[in-house]
Amino acid sequence: MIEEKFDAIVIGAGMAGNAAAYTMASRGLDVLQLERGEYPGSKNVQGAILYADMLEALIPNFREEAPLERHLIEQRFWMVTDRSHTGMHYRSDDFNEEKANRYTIIRSQFDRWFSREVQAKGAIVISETTVTELVSDAYGKVIGVRTDRRGGTIFADVVVIAEGVNGLLGSRAGLRPAPKPEHVALAVKEMHFLPRETIEARFNLHGDEGVVIEAAGTISKGMTGMGFIYTNKESVSVGMGCLVADFAETGETPYGLLETFKAHPSVAPLLEGSEVKEYAAHLIPEGGYNTIPQLFGDGWVVVGDAAQLNNAIHREGSNLAMTSGRLAGEAIFQVKSRRDPMTKQNLALYKKFLDASFVMKDLKKYKDMPKLLHTQSHNFFLTYPTLVAKAMDNFLRVDGAPKLDKEKASIRAFVKERTLRGLFGDALRLARAWR
Ligand SMILES: Cc1cc2nc3c(=O)[nH]c(=O)nc-3n(C[C@H](O)[C@H](O)[C@H](O)COP(=O)(O)OP(=O)(O)OC[C@H]3O[C@@H](n4cnc5c(N)ncnc54)[C@H](O)[C@@H]3O)c2cc1C
């Protein structure tokens, strides 16, 4: 194993680690990146939507070479009951722009490409190597890492912890608490393969256009969670995730929920005849702003999912990971170029950059949403979707009853189920948490 001391060691070659390693290596720092998977991306799971702006900030011409699937021109939000969905959807030809804003990707391919870009900038990337321990000096400053390979400590001025949601190293070293079950979702995902023309016909797409469907309602059986369908070129990603605490409390299983979602009358025809080739399960940090741990210290910074930087309300994670990785890399570069030591005080620059970015601003905006959705999950994921579906049925069914009577019946159903006070309370709580 390598004996020399590096400017920086990056743990993990996911979105955050790659962004950090790319930023530092392209500015001439000596970077070692360690990845436990067989290759970068082999262990990574995502829906997956790539948010172009955040990658463009690193690699402006990425569209020329990155393995992209479809650019998204349409988003459907479904509020589902067992037999229906009430939808809101937005489709725009403006999304058919030359530099599209969002793409679907397949992480195992994408991360491999991203890592090649990191290596082309001069970083040393070693896969199949698990960091087992952060190494500190007598004063508690992180000075390197130990791995599961033979050899001693590998030293660096700073260690970038980009180990993803589990964050075992960080919690073992006492840098952050282990995530609580009510703050992480467990998501399962399958890849359903279909001929390209079938996908385009079923989802009303042309060429490389893509669509995303997100569904919440009775499919999560009153738990906080949702299902998703993302179109790739020749496959459709289908998944379902709920909070770990809810699974523990209800005894429901992720796979059971996914089966229910796939069998839903609005979903089954989209997947009919497909061949399932991949199945994956992964955690998502969903505690939001209030669960963000200490982000920097003497000799270390933490980025991406390991830092709980995930916007569950907008289902954004990879963009926050890439941005935090890039900002950490920039802060480290600035400290290094001033020839300052990598102390907690100097690395606070990373937090300053992060606070000024959309990452912290968005997470702060939604700081109360995770708790609200968790504590009110029965109402938001069961009661309201059922009431809305009944109201829609009532509105659309032509049966000779006067429209005014129908409207009154729908309103009565809401009041009966939640009471007037309950309805206003829910609206107020939602509005407060949303602002
Ligand atoms: C089902 C699902 C769907 C999602 N959909 C979307 C989406 O559509 N859009 C979006 O933006 N986000 C999505 N996300 C979230 C997104 O995947 C994450 O936010 C993002 O991957 C975080 O990047 P990261 O680099 O922090 O962590 P990861 O991508 O998880 O990377 C961490 C890396 O560290 C490695 N590692 C861990 N421990 C060690 C160790 N001790 N030593 C060496 N290496 C180690 C891992 O093998 C891994 O490669 C989704 C997540 C899931 C689970």
Side-chain angles (χ1 to χ4, degrees), residues 11-17 34-37 41 43-51 107 111 129-132 162-165 169 187-189 228 230 282-284 303-306 309-310 315-319 321:
I11 305 169
M15 290 292 199
L34 301 168
E35 166 57 46
R36 69 180 170 162
K43 293 219 175 253
N44 297 340
V45 182
Q46 193 177 319
I49 303 177
L50 171 80
Y51 300 94
R107 279 290 297 269
D111 287 17
T129 306
T130 302
V131 174
T132 50
E163 58 176 331
V165 57
L169 287 169
V188 286
K189 187 190 118 173
F228 61 82
Y230 298 158
H282 207 275
L283 295 174
I284 309 178
V303 294
D305 275 11
L309 302 176
N310 198 295
R315 279 94 38 223
E316 293 176 20
S318 64
N319 51 337

Side-chain angles (χ1 to χ4, degrees), residues 185-229:
L186 175 58
V188 286
K189 187 190 118 173
E190 287 179 352
M191 298 275 281
H192 286 245
F193 284 78
L194 284 163
R196 196 185 167 113
E197 319 74 70
T198 309
I199 294 175
E200 285 161 17
R202 283 185 190 172
F203 290 88
N204 188 20
L205 301 170
H206 304 279
D208 284 345
E209 291 173 346
V211 58
V212 163
I213 301 174
E214 288 174 323
T218 61
I219 42 165
S220 68
K221 305 195 189 286
M223 303 191 284
T224 313
M226 61 191 305
F228 61 82
I229 300 172

Side-chain angles (χ1 to χ4, degrees), residues 25-26 53 55 108 169 192-193 217 251 268 270-271 293 303 311 429:
S26 52
D53 272 36
L55 183 58
S108 54
L169 287 169
H192 286 245
F193 284 78
L270 298 174
L271 306 178
V303 294
N311 183 343
R429 275 190 288 271

